[in-house]
Amino acid sequence: MQHTRSKRIRLGAKLGALSLSALLLSGAAAQITHAQDSNTMSKEASSSVQHIHVNGQQQYQTMDGFGASGAWSIDHIGSEWSEKNKKKIADLLFSQDKGIGLSIWRFNIGAGSTETDQDIISDPWRRAESFKSSATAPYDWSKQAGQQWFLKAAKQRGVSKTVAFVNSPPVWMTKNGHGQPDDSVGSTNLKADQIDNYAVFLADVLEHFDKQKLGFDYISPINEPTWDWNKSGQEGNRYNMQDIKQVLSALHKELERRGLHTEVDAIEAVEYLSLLDNDLYAEFTGKPGSQYTSGNAGGKYEGKYSEYIRELLGDPATAAMIGNKISAHAYWSDQPNAGDDRLVQLRKLVHENLERYTPSAAFWMSEYCILGDRGPGRDLSMNTALDVARVIHFDMVETQASAWQWWLAVSKEDYKDGLIYTDYKNPGDPESIIESKLLWTMGNYSRFVRPGAERIELDGANDPNGLMGSAYYHNKDRQLSMVFVNYGNEARTIQLDIDQLPGGKDVKQLKPYLTSDTSDLKAMPSIPVKKTVTIPARSVMTLVGHN
């Protein structure tokens, strides 16, 4: 989780989008726009045609879906806004007809900083309520009402996977009584005698939502354990490796004791570098013998804060507790820098590291927005949308992530951290809904690459500064989806060669969906698969066909 802190600002989303009214163009204006887009698609981009080969027999990861987080802002929106505008946001996020069809939704279980941390977390939109205010207090299930409204809305609109995630244990379980640590608490703010009670608290929350038919598929008890989080402007907590394994063991035992089938999602590592074995980290940095300490807690507090793949998946007992899956955040991994290629080389090393221990392990990219010098300032344009689309592409084809999840679904900040923005801050303010191009660009993946689809081989488009492409086949729906990201300033014309799809039948027609400066996931006329297709400059296009 992230956000504005002195050292690490975490709010990002390259957004650019038109309002809902832009989707409802009618009459002559709509016909003109449609004709312009069609002409752009059919126009030859250059003298050369880029040949793309799709092989359905070469299969990679099975997709779990695409998602976003309902942390913080969603509690205010869900509690304070009109039903009309809440439904509009829910449709934009979850509907496969009116929006981008997210298939994963993240629910933040708060620590109670709303009551205890006003002096530390100055922004009330960054605090969180807790379902239980003290060790002896009864549960109050009316808390976090806004998030609960959107959890129901997500389920109603077909979201297939939900994740409950925690930034800090409840404040009454922490050493300093706050939702974030300080230097005095050592390796973690969670009291040693509260580890079992923390597991009980989480299991109680899961059981309650199960009874409401709003059960969670995954529980993530730890977030970014490598960050020190000292007096940060949000809830957070650090954990060394021993702390982590104690929490995971206690939670696993409690879930088994109750017969709860919610899977544990871990470890929500702060960045990819923290995952790597020391030798692979040294290979990436070019510094023999170097070890990861960049997360701010490693080397400062006792214990280990690195090598998460080795420690979690390389330990059979721990790997079994977390379903042979590891999750991490992709922060600071979005730049194809010479000599520090985080965009491609780092992702290759992460995948190599996973294969070192268990080729069958799944990897989730569970949180990302744009940080650092490029983070400040909303950008609703294709510039940020394409930067993020490039990250998604390489997480699909190099890291081989089976899930990809954005940070804030809705943001009020002047930062690149939201899919949707609002200028609403207090009751009585206009309930503004500001779409971004990033929202619709993510929809090029989330609406058409559905859970259960398998990524299949696509050769001929993997240029981080030009055309990138990936392909997915959903056996149940007999649907082929190919997502092309044209990062370049010139249109690219492609010729597709598709063979060996399951079922033994060929795709005859493809339906394009375009996101560009002038289009928001716009359905275009179907085209024969044998014809060339032109991907406009600075755009994202999904081609969908059935066999």
Side-chain angles (χ1 to χ4, degrees):
M1 332 277 353
Q2 43 254 39
H3 305 9
T4 323
R5 332 171 200 187
S6 56
K7 228 173 156 184
R8 174 176 173 241
I9 300 178
R10 275 199 167 211
L11 291 163
K14 272 189 174 180
L15 309 154
L18 303 175
S19 64
L20 275 177
S21 60
L23 293 175
L24 303 177
L25 290 172
S26 59
Q31 294 173 8
I32 291 170
T33 302
H34 185 81
Q36 290 172 339
D37 287 330
S38 299
N39 290 337
T40 302
M41 285 177 55
S42 61
K43 186 175 71 174
E44 287 295 324
S46 65
S47 58
S48 63
V49 174
Q50 201 160 333
H51 291 274
I52 306 295
H53 178 227
V54 176
N55 178 8
Q57 295 304 303
Q58 182 61 57
Q59 299 170 348
Y60 299 96
Q61 72 267 33
T62 299
M63 297 304 302
D64 290 313
F66 292 83
S69 164
W72 305 340
S73 54
I74 287 295
D75 253 328
H76 292 268
I77 291 169
S79 299
E80 300 165 9
W81 280 31
S82 66
E83 287 292 303
K84 175 185 176 182
N85 286 330
K86 288 191 293 188
K87 288 178 179 178
K88 185 180 292 186
I89 286 181
D91 284 342
L92 284 171
L93 293 171
F94 309 131
S95 170
Q96 293 185 59
D97 299 318
K98 303 175 184 177
I100 66 170
L102 294 178
S103 48
I104 300 175
W105 183 240
R106 297 173 64 82
F107 182 106
N108 175 223
I109 299 176
S113 58
T114 297
E115 288 78 24
T116 62
D117 294 1
Q118 295 93 336
D119 292 337
I120 301 172
I121 306 175
S122 59
D123 184 351
W125 279 57
R126 308 263 305 273
R127 305 175 199 143
E129 296 177 326
S130 176
F131 293 120
K132 188 173 171 67
S133 60
S134 72
T136 57
Y139 283 94
D140 183 350
W141 301 115
S142 69
K143 298 295 186 180
Q144 301 195 268
Q147 276 203 92
Q148 292 194 56
W149 189 95
F150 274 91
L151 178 63
K152 293 176 186 176
K155 296 270 189 178
Q156 290 167 352
R157 288 162 176 79
V159 172
S160 59
K161 289 180 172 62
T162 53
V163 182
F165 73 98
V166 186
N167 293 330
S168 165
V171 293
W172 46 274
M173 294 185 184
T174 64
K175 296 174 183 176
N176 63 9
H178 294 288
Q180 64 287 122
D182 54 52
D183 268 332
S184 72
V185 305
S187 66
T188 185
N189 201 22
L190 177 60
K191 294 177 182 177
D193 64 357
Q194 291 294 317
I195 292 174
D196 289 339
N197 289 334
Y198 181 39
V200 169
F201 167 79
L202 294 177
D204 285 346
V205 173
L206 295 176
E207 277 195 334
H208 168 77
F209 281 93
D210 274 350
K211 291 174 182 176
Q212 303 302 309
K213 301 190 184 304
L214 294 171
F216 293 101
D217 301 281
Y218 298 89
I219 175 67
S220 172
I222 294 170
N223 179 71
E224 297 182 349
T226 319
W227 201 253
D228 74 11
W229 293 109
N230 286 338
K231 296 184 178 180
S232 59
Q234 66 171 83
E235 295 180 353
N237 192 28
R238 60 180 172 268
Y239 300 82
N240 69 21
M241 194 59 65
Q242 181 180 358
D243 301 325
I244 287 170
K245 291 190 176 184
Q246 288 176 338
V247 169
L248 294 179
S249 178
L251 180 56
H252 177 71
K253 289 175 182 176
E254 187 64 21
L255 296 179
E256 282 207 326
R257 186 183 72 80
R258 300 195 193 196
L260 291 171
H261 299 294
T262 304
E263 295 183 34
V264 178
D265 180 25
I267 195 58
E268 307 261 20
V270 64
E271 62 171 328
Y272 287 171
L273 283 171
S274 68
L275 296 172
L276 297 178
D277 287 2
N278 288 336
D279 64 312
L280 295 178
Y281 177 80
E283 177 183 336
F284 179 77
T285 60
K287 300 176 181 177
S290 61
Q291 298 182 16
Y292 175 84
T293 58
S294 304
N296 209 22
K300 187 175 180 181
Y301 304 100
E302 66 175 344
K304 187 175 184 178
Y305 294 84
S306 62
E307 289 196 304
Y308 291 116
I309 292 175
R310 173 192 294 274
E311 293 286 348
L312 300 182
L313 295 182
D315 176 351
T318 305
M321 292 177 194
I322 61 176
N324 204 34
K325 174 178 70 67
I326 195 166
S327 61
H329 301 170
Y331 293 112
W332 307 295
S333 70
D334 47 12
Q335 291 296 295
N337 299 325
D340 183 20
D341 183 4
R342 299 186 177 214
L343 188 64
V344 180
Q345 183 195 5
L346 178 56
R347 286 173 166 80
K348 287 179 181 288
L349 290 174
V350 170
H351 183 68
E352 178 184 335
N353 212 152
L354 291 165
E355 294 279 299
R356 176 178 288 184
Y357 294 103
T358 169
S360 61
F363 178 81
W364 275 19
M365 199 303 292
S366 55
E367 190 178 298
Y368 171 78
C369 72
I370 295 178
L371 300 182
D373 294 341
R374 298 185 305 123
R378 289 183 190 177
D379 176 17
L380 306 178
S381 77
M382 286 301 296
N383 291 331
T384 293
L386 286 165
D387 283 347
V388 175
R390 182 167 62 180
V391 170
I392 298 175
H393 169 80
F394 284 107
D395 271 328
M396 294 297 103
V397 303
E398 302 295 358
T399 328
Q400 298 195 32
S402 57
W404 202 95
Q405 299 161 65
W406 182 255
W407 172 220
L408 291 179
V410 184
S411 171
K412 69 175 178 63
E413 306 297 336
D414 186 22
Y415 204 93
K416 298 177 182 69
D417 65 337
L419 296 177
I420 300 168
Y421 286 94
T422 182
D423 290 329
Y424 172 94
K425 294 183 180 179
N426 298 294
D429 289 347
E431 297 174 357
S432 56
I433 299 172
I434 305 166
E435 300 167 30
S436 70
K437 288 295 178 182
L438 174 58
L439 172 75
W440 297 108
T441 290
M442 189 164 175
N444 278 92
Y445 287 92
S446 56
R447 191 193 282 185
F448 305 109
V449 183
R450 304 302 297 172
E454 289 186 313
R455 187 174 70 85
I456 59 177
E457 186 174 87
L458 185 151
D459 286 334
N462 203 35
D463 179 359
N465 296 308
L467 187 65
M468 295 156 272
S470 56
Y472 312 83
Y473 186 80
H474 199 293
N475 198 53
K476 182 180 178 181
D477 298 337
R478 304 176 71 86
Q479 177 171 299
L480 172 67
S481 302
M482 296 169 287
V483 186
F484 289 94
V485 179
N486 186 357
Y487 197 85
N489 294 319
E490 295 182 358
R492 299 288 179 179
T493 300
I494 61 173
Q495 177 72 65
L496 289 162
D497 174 20
I498 303 169
D499 60 25
Q500 300 190 65
L501 292 179
K505 293 184 179 180
D506 295 332
V507 171
K508 303 296 185 184
Q509 296 279 325
L510 293 170
K511 182 76 173 176
Y513 295 85
L514 178 67
T515 300
S516 66
D517 285 333
T518 57
S519 299
D520 294 334
L521 204 59
K522 184 171 184 178
M524 310 300 292
S526 295
I527 54 176
V529 74
K530 297 299 182 182
K531 280 199 170 183
T532 58
V533 181
T534 297
I535 316 296
R538 307 289 292 172
S539 74
V540 182
M541 181 184 288
T542 304
L543 300 173
V544 180
H546 294 84
N547 67 336

